[in-house]
Amino acid sequence: MSWQQTPLTFPASSLAIHSRAQGVLGQLPAIQDSAMGRLQGLAGRAQYRPHPLSEAAAGLASLRAELDRLLVTGRCLTVTPYLHGVGQQQGNQCHLSAPKAVATLVAKLQDGADPRLPAGQLHALAWLVTGHSADDLAQQLSILCALLPLPEWCAALRRLIANNDTMNQ
């Protein structure tokens, strides 16, 4: 099999549609400028009374600016028993101990080959979700995934549900 490099061309039918639409779309800037000019001419004659909630809304806008200043960006690292080389398998069930999960996260945070490795002063928030059995863990994850659907947790939940389903055994 051989590959040939060719330029990208639009079909004639799409070019016809584009040229017909361009005739209408090309007129829009002039029509918008004309309408804005007419509205600006009427602005002096308009009398607007401020709504009683206007001051409260302005105060909320300043609170939003404060909230935006407090928000930070972060990364989400997850460890599940189903990650290759992390969980321990016994029969058809996988399990993961808390020390092994912490060690895996520490290794990930020290991975120099990771291009998205966070730098500088770091703060962490860790959640450890446990269960005495696969059914219990699935129940705990289902509650948590409804509130915070992290893809890795949802994948672990789907796998737990599939493993606990008697039709799949």
Side-chain angles (χ1 to χ4, degrees):
M1 174 183 242
S2 64
W3 294 92
Q4 292 182 336
Q5 187 171 4
T6 60
L8 179 64
T9 57
F10 286 105
S13 59
S14 64
L15 287 175
I17 293 170
H18 177 71
S19 63
R20 285 180 29 211
Q22 194 60 30
V24 174
L25 295 176
Q27 297 175 17
L28 287 179
I31 291 171
Q32 279 182 325
D33 290 341
S34 171
M36 285 304 293
R38 289 192 309 268
L39 285 174
Q40 293 295 337
L42 296 174
R45 291 190 270 167
Q47 298 292 324
Y48 297 109
R49 289 180 300 180
H51 191 273
L53 293 177
S54 296
E55 288 183 35
L60 287 177
S62 67
L63 289 176
R64 177 61 194 194
E66 285 184 44
L67 178 64
D68 288 342
R69 193 180 69 241
L70 293 175
L71 293 176
V72 295
T73 58
R75 303 266 194 283
C76 179
L77 302 175
T78 58
V79 178
T80 68
Y82 302 109
L83 289 175
H84 177 70
V86 176
Q88 297 172 335
Q89 189 164 0
Q90 292 178 334
N92 65 346
Q93 297 293 324
C94 290
H95 70 276
L96 175 63
S97 66
K100 178 77 172 187
V102 171
T104 303
L105 288 172
V106 167
K108 181 64 178 167
L109 287 172
Q110 295 174 345
D111 184 6
D114 186 359
R116 299 188 68 188
L117 182 67
Q121 185 176 0
L122 302 175
H123 301 279
L125 173 67
W127 288 4
L128 179 63
V129 183
T130 62
H132 295 291
S133 65
D135 290 329
D136 188 32
L137 182 57
Q139 182 182 6
Q140 299 297 327
L141 275 178
S142 66
I143 294 168
L144 192 56
C145 286
L147 299 173
L148 184 64
L150 295 177
E152 293 86 355
W153 284 356
C154 293
L157 175 61
R158 287 189 301 271
R159 191 162 178 177
L160 282 167
I161 290 171
N163 284 342
N164 292 336
D165 186 7
T166 56
M167 296 299 288
N168 290 328
Q169 293 180 356

